[in-house]
Amino acid sequence: MKSIAHAAPAVDVQAAPKAHARNVALDRARTFLTLVVLLHHAVIPYTHFGHTDPTSWIGFDCVVLATDSFFMAMFFFLSGLFVWPGLGNKSLLGFLTTRLLRLGLPFVVCAVTVIPLAYWAIELRHTPGISFAEFWRKTMTIGPWPSGPIWFVWVLMVFDVTASLLYRVSPRLLDPINRLSEKGFARPSKFWLLLVLVSAAVYLPMLVSYGQNYWFEFGPFSVQASRVLLYAAYFFIGAGIGAANFEGGLLSAHGRLTQRRWFWTGVTLIPYALMWTMIYIKREVIGNPDPLPGWYLAIYGTFYVLFSASILFAILAYFLQSKASGPTLLDRMQGDAYGMFLVHYPIVLWLQYWLFDFDLPAIAKAAIAFFATVALSWAVTAVLRKIPGAKHVL
């Protein structure tokens, strides 16, 4: 009987990292995640528990639980994949300049314009008639100064800077991860186990110590305390995969992972169901205490880690084996996806503000909010990218 996976080519893990050509499968996965972010923010007000709109639907709780439990970790993973080759082909100054232009500048611009504009819609519900100028001054001087979804941008910049310093210490620092990625060509479950164990080791102690809702905050610089090390782990594990021999490792288009997407989808459903079981226990058995007991957080966090790693593999397996010929909708959107991520938040919050007083079912409101957010954020990004030099940033 023939193996359904090709034999992994014999390659040198010590090979110097090379710049990769664009990977259509990973581009599509990244663009898909951008749409997941927009969907997540579009349906949050219409969830059953903690909804901020008169209408809700329990199905959106299912969506939010799933998306919140993986998409940002996966963003960091994908961002890490190409950082090591980038460091190998640029000077330290060149790499940092590029990161400051691509991440630092958008963060500053969004923090002082896009984010206050978004939260003004929320403030108007509490303080009707407040002008944007008044709200902006209050945000800049008194606070709070929330970052919304752009917290991802500054945290990614910190990880990139850290990676650049580690690369100067030793370009071969991530070789052990890369060797395991090569073994993952034929046995992806071994790499999945590494991801789960590392994730649990860094996430569970932080979760038990800080709980689920505490954020480290300094002005617009914020990050969820329990997850910051988890995100770092995903970023650097991704960097290890991309350090060398990418085409002969875990994410090879011809590896075992691409043949088993239904297996990983099935694996994903198990911890997802167990997370819902724990939510039921929290609400109906132990009375939703605040703070939650450590034993509960440890068990729930274990299922969270298993779900996050499994759905990462399931999504990557789907896109790596996809035979869809381009250009698909994701391909057309790919160049604008980062800009859509940056500008979508005020669009979705103002759409939800406008929809609040309409007597419509939750599904209708969420559908309007999502599709209009996609269309408008795509259009705004397309216009912004026509500004000279903007394509180097967005």
Side-chain angles (χ1 to χ4, degrees), residues 92-167:
L92 176 61
L93 181 60
F95 178 82
L96 293 178
T97 300
T98 301
R99 293 293 86 193
L100 284 172
L101 185 64
R102 183 77 168 165
L103 300 173
L105 179 59
F107 176 79
V108 171
V109 172
C110 288
V112 299
T113 58
V114 172
I115 295 304
L117 183 61
Y119 281 95
W120 183 34
I122 296 176
E123 182 66 17
L124 282 171
R125 286 291 170 197
H126 302 288
T127 315
I130 186 173
S131 69
F132 177 67
E134 183 182 356
F135 175 69
W136 187 88
R137 283 194 300 270
K138 175 178 175 291
T139 300
M140 297 296 115
T141 58
I142 301 174
W145 188 352
S147 63
I150 65 165
W151 65 264
F152 166 78
V153 179
W154 83 265
V155 174
L156 178 58
M157 186 168 63
V158 170
F159 291 167
D160 279 336
V161 172
T162 303
S164 68
L165 298 176
L166 292 175
Y167 185 86

Side-chain angles (χ1 to χ4, degrees), residues 358-387:
F358 282 82
D359 186 17
L360 294 172
I363 294 176
K365 287 187 176 184
I368 294 170
F370 173 66
F371 288 109
T373 298
V374 171
L376 291 173
S377 60
W378 195 358
V380 169
T381 300
V383 171
L384 291 175
R385 280 167 56 87
K386 293 185 182 297
I387 300 173

Side-chain angles (χ1 to χ4, degrees), residues 162-293:
T162 303
S164 68
L165 298 176
L166 292 175
Y167 185 86
R168 264 59 197 180
V169 172
S170 173
R172 308 202 186 281
L173 197 62
L174 301 183
D175 281 1
I177 298 175
N178 195 267
R179 284 192 290 269
L180 193 58
S181 172
E182 287 190 274
K183 295 179 180 179
F185 181 94
R187 296 288 299 276
S189 57
K190 288 186 176 180
F191 203 93
W192 175 86
L193 183 59
L194 167 73
L195 185 59
V196 168
L197 292 177
V198 172
S199 298
V202 298
Y203 176 60
L204 295 182
M206 295 291 284
L207 179 63
V208 172
S209 297
Y210 291 101
Q212 295 174 310
N213 300 318
Y214 184 76
W215 287 63
F216 295 132
E217 293 180 311
F218 180 75
F221 298 93
S222 61
V223 64
Q224 194 168 355
S226 62
R227 298 184 185 181
V228 61
L229 295 183
L230 176 77
Y231 296 146
Y234 268 75
F235 176 84
F236 283 102
I237 288 173
I241 293 174
N245 311 317
F246 189 86
E247 297 302 323
L250 174 74
L251 301 185
S252 169
H254 307 293
R256 179 77 170 177
L257 179 64
T258 64
Q259 308 293 333
R260 309 203 69 191
R261 64 181 175 124
W262 292 116
F263 168 78
W264 290 109
T265 300
V267 170
T268 298
L269 295 176
I270 298 171
Y272 180 71
L274 291 172
M275 283 196 296
W276 272 112
T277 301
M278 294 304 296
I279 291 172
Y280 175 83
I281 291 172
K282 177 181 71 171
R283 295 186 178 276
E284 304 298 332
V285 177
I286 63 176
N288 204 19
D290 185 20
L292 288 164

Side-chain angles (χ1 to χ4, degrees), residues 3 5 21 52 54 66 74 77 95 120-121 175 238 242 257 263 273 279 281 306 310 319 327 337 354 388 393:
S3 169
T52 55
M74 187 171 180
F77 176 88
F95 178 82
W120 183 34
D175 281 1
L257 179 64
F263 168 78
I279 291 172
I281 291 172
L306 291 168
S310 301
F319 283 105
W354 172 69
V393 179

